[in-house]
Amino acid sequence: MSYVDKIIADIEKKNADQPEFLQAAKEVLESLRVVVDNNSKYEDAALLERLVEPERIVQFRVPWVDDSGKVQVNRGYRVEFNSAIGPYKGGLRFHPSVNLSIIKFLGFEQIFKNSLTGLPIGGGKGGSDFDPKGKSDLEVMRFCQSFMTELYRHIGPDTDVPAGDIGVGGREIGFMFGQYKRIVNAFQGVLTGKGLDWGGSLARTEATGYGLVYMVEEYLKSISDSFEGKTVSVSGSGNVAIFATQKVQQLGGKVVTMTDSNGYIHHAVGIDLDAIKEIKLVQRGRLKDYAAKHTDAVYKEVGDGSVWDIPVDIALPCATQNELDLNNAKTLVANGVKIVGEGANMPTTQDGADYFIENKITFFPGKAANAGGVGTSALEMSQNSERLSWSFEEVDKQLNRIMVNIFHNINDAAKEYGQAGNFVAGANIAGFKKVAQAMLDQGII
Ligand code: NDP
Ligand code: 2IT
């Protein structure tokens, strides 16, 4: 049995109840066959056994009081997966679906993503099954304060630096930062995605969506093409989706779809992004409200077809894991899609991703394509360390450079290992090699 097969059998046995973690880990391990199966130094050091086991998992109770005076209890998590190349870094997700499998898959992906940024950040992820939807600001604040009252002892600016993810934006980061500061009595860069007046970085809000589009743009440039005139579908209507749409529009493309957990809109003349921002960022409302105001847009409830039925040149899934399956992939390909770029983490199922690659669709996996968010978080950490803030143009330029570099690194790695054009293999191999070498350098830890 090969080294990789042995590890896959092992993780399947030990984590049988964690389908998302197994999906993410198996994808990476499959890519690593060409690296580890013919070089015994990895097996000799039990490198893969260590890589798939988090350095530390924290799970805790989060009690809080709702507006009616009733005590509520949620579950909190932080998975500190790998610190070989820097402090643990990765977002916090607040969504009712959150469980250990989801946090472990996200933490595992984060190791390789953070490595690809070229910046010194390890991999971690956390969150809670708390649902911010329908909660008052004060309920969200009480939850965030309680969450941080436990989390604070596990994190620190040189130890573990959380940020946002689904359900965690500027409001939640503010409440958590305030509570951390109050407990430790120090103003530290312990979270990223902070407000611009208290240690946040310009362009962090835009970074994930912009970065995704910068990567696709660099690829288009490499084939002497551009976004000009391209039709694009985007899923989600949160942070990543909104700023991916904004950058596509700036570059001359037309985004025709967005989704939320209730349904999707198809607006053939192009999405009115100001209206989306008003509904989603100000009113915290639903996409259905968009269709009410734009009578030429079509709104469909979940279950009534799919956003991926709409013919486009480029598809950018930016909502959540496993939102694009094999059937969706077949429809997109049949309708002529040329490029798929993952703004979300693992939005494409394994068979869907395989189908794109087999059909020579240019497919950018999330761990490469959405790395601009965490990359800019690392730039926020640098600014906090030097107690300075850089201009929007400076941060945006560095973000662009990070994404361009990732594109070329994953492209080169895919070629070096005989899989030209397979950016899943390229991202997994390039991300792994740096972390693996750091782990080898640091001994059996
Ligand atoms: P937001 O909470 O801002 O937005 C999430 C969007 O996705 C919303 O439109 C939401 O709809 C939709 N969504 C979430 N969960 C589901 C679900 N289970 N089914 C259907 N729709 C869903 O999150 P972000 O934009 O920050 O994150 C989106 C994706 O990007 C995630 O995969 C995240 O891990 C990834 N990512 C985020 C980064 C960041 O910097 N924020 C960085 C890198 C990756 P609704 O409002 O109805 O729930
Ligand atoms: O998935 C991700 O990369 C994020 N949610 C951002 C993490 C971060 O630390 O900025």
Side-chain angles (χ1 to χ4, degrees):
M1 195 187 253
S2 78
Y3 184 30
V4 164
D5 285 328
K6 193 169 116 261
I7 300 299
I8 289 179
D10 207 43
I11 59 169
E12 281 180 333
K13 204 168 91 194
K14 282 190 182 152
N15 308 280
D17 57 343
Q18 296 177 0
E20 292 86 1
F21 171 63
L22 288 175
Q23 181 184 342
K26 276 156 62 177
E27 183 216 275
V28 170
L29 290 166
E30 287 296 342
S31 298
L32 297 183
R33 286 184 194 280
V34 289
V35 184
V36 301
D37 277 350
N38 44 31
N39 190 335
S40 64
K41 74 175 175 183
Y42 297 107
E43 187 165 7
D44 292 346
L47 201 285
L48 295 182
E49 288 86 333
R50 289 189 281 144
L51 191 72
V52 296
E53 198 61 38
E55 290 177 18
R56 186 177 301 107
I57 295 178
V58 187
Q59 186 188 312
F60 50 96
R61 178 205 309 157
V62 189
W64 57 282
V65 180
D66 71 18
D67 286 345
S68 69
K70 193 167 179 304
V71 180
Q72 303 283 347
V73 180
N74 287 97
R75 213 170 245 191
Y77 301 91
R78 187 72 184 166
V79 173
E80 297 180 333
F81 224 119
N82 194 301
S83 62
I85 63 170
Y88 311 106
K89 182 87 197 81
L92 296 170
R93 175 176 293 191
F94 293 168
H95 192 273
S97 62
V98 162
N99 57 35
L100 188 57
S101 173
I102 288 181
I103 299 299
K104 277 182 65 183
F105 116 64
L106 290 163
F108 188 73
E109 291 284 285
Q110 203 80 42
I111 303 169
F112 308 97
K113 182 196 303 191
N114 293 4
S115 165
L116 288 171
T117 66
L119 298 166
I121 38 179
K125 199 85 185 191
S128 174
D129 58 2
F130 174 73
D131 185 359
K133 252 190 229 122
K135 304 288 191 302
S136 70
D137 285 351
L138 284 177
E139 286 179 322
V140 171
M141 183 184 79
R142 287 193 292 272
F143 172 81
C144 288
Q145 290 181 338
S146 181
F147 185 84
M148 187 52 86
T149 300
E150 173 59 32
L151 185 67
Y152 91 94
R153 69 188 81 247
H154 308 290
I155 63 176
D158 298 314
T159 306
D160 184 354
V161 183
D165 193 79
I166 291 177
V168 178
R171 175 181 62 169
E172 292 75 17
I173 293 291
F175 293 150
M176 288 190 277
F177 183 78
Q179 184 72 351
Y180 179 87
K181 179 164 62 70
R182 190 177 173 208
I183 295 172
V184 304
N185 192 28
F187 195 110
Q188 298 174 331
V190 69
L191 295 167
T192 58
K194 298 186 291 299
L196 296 178
D197 294 329
W198 39 276
S201 173
L202 284 159
R204 173 63 188 89
T205 307
E206 293 83 356
T208 310
Y210 277 23
L212 165 67
V213 176
Y214 290 152
M215 174 165 292
V216 175
E217 185 192 25
E218 184 64 13
Y219 165 72
L220 285 166
K221 268 191 200 158
S222 77
I223 55 166
S224 307
D225 202 347
S226 78
F227 267 99
E228 195 68 49
K230 297 279 188 302
T231 303
V232 180
S233 55
V234 167
S235 66
S237 47
N239 173 268
V240 180
I242 286 174
F243 292 101
T245 299
Q246 183 159 307
K247 186 50 75 178
V248 169
Q249 291 179 342
Q250 286 172 7
L251 296 177
K254 185 167 71 166
V255 174
V256 295
T257 69
M258 287 195 123
T259 74
D260 65 17
S261 51
N262 298 101
Y264 78 88
I265 45 169
H266 176 211
H267 203 174
V269 298
I271 293 289
D272 170 0
L273 195 58
D274 288 338
I276 293 284
K277 284 182 178 173
E278 174 64 25
I279 293 167
K280 287 292 170 183
L281 304 180
V282 181
Q283 299 165 5
R284 296 184 187 272
R286 314 306 307 157
L287 274 185
K288 204 180 196 164
D289 307 340
Y290 180 95
K293 287 197 199 103
H294 297 77
T295 47
D296 55 339
V298 176
Y299 174 75
K300 293 204 173 171
E301 295 276 343
V302 165
D304 182 7
S306 160
V307 68
W308 311 121
D309 295 342
I310 309 297
V312 288
D313 303 308
I314 300 171
L316 303 176
C318 297
T320 194
Q321 66 275 354
N322 293 327
E323 56 165 318
L324 196 170
D325 65 15
L326 177 61
N327 282 333
N328 303 140
K330 285 181 175 168
T331 308
L332 279 166
V333 173
N335 285 336
V337 79
K338 296 286 181 303
I339 302 171
V340 178
E342 295 188 325
N345 285 307
M346 205 170 75
T348 314
T349 58
Q350 190 60 58
D351 49 5
D354 291 345
Y355 189 81
F356 286 135
I357 292 168
E358 282 156 20
N359 285 276
K360 306 270 179 264
I361 306 303
T362 300
F363 178 75
F364 290 110
K367 67 170 73 68
N370 70 37
V374 75
T376 306
S377 279
L379 301 179
E380 182 171 328
M381 290 166 71
S382 298
Q383 293 169 75
N384 292 166
S385 295
E386 60 176 21
R387 302 212 188 280
L388 290 173
S389 29
W390 308 339
S391 68
F392 187 96
E393 291 67 31
E394 174 62 25
V395 180
D396 190 39
K397 199 172 74 193
Q398 291 211 33
L399 165 64
N400 189 287
R401 201 172 56 211
I402 289 169
M403 300 314 294
V404 167
N405 283 343
I406 296 176
F407 169 70
H408 291 289
N409 285 343
I410 65 177
N411 194 20
D412 292 349
K415 280 186 196 151
E416 186 186 336
Y417 286 87
Q419 298 174 73
N422 181 342
F423 299 127
V424 171
N428 289 336
I429 293 168
F432 167 78
K433 283 179 82 174
K434 190 167 118 184
V435 174
Q437 192 54 50
M439 289 174 72
L440 293 173
D441 292 345
Q442 291 170 29
I444 305 302
I445 52 170

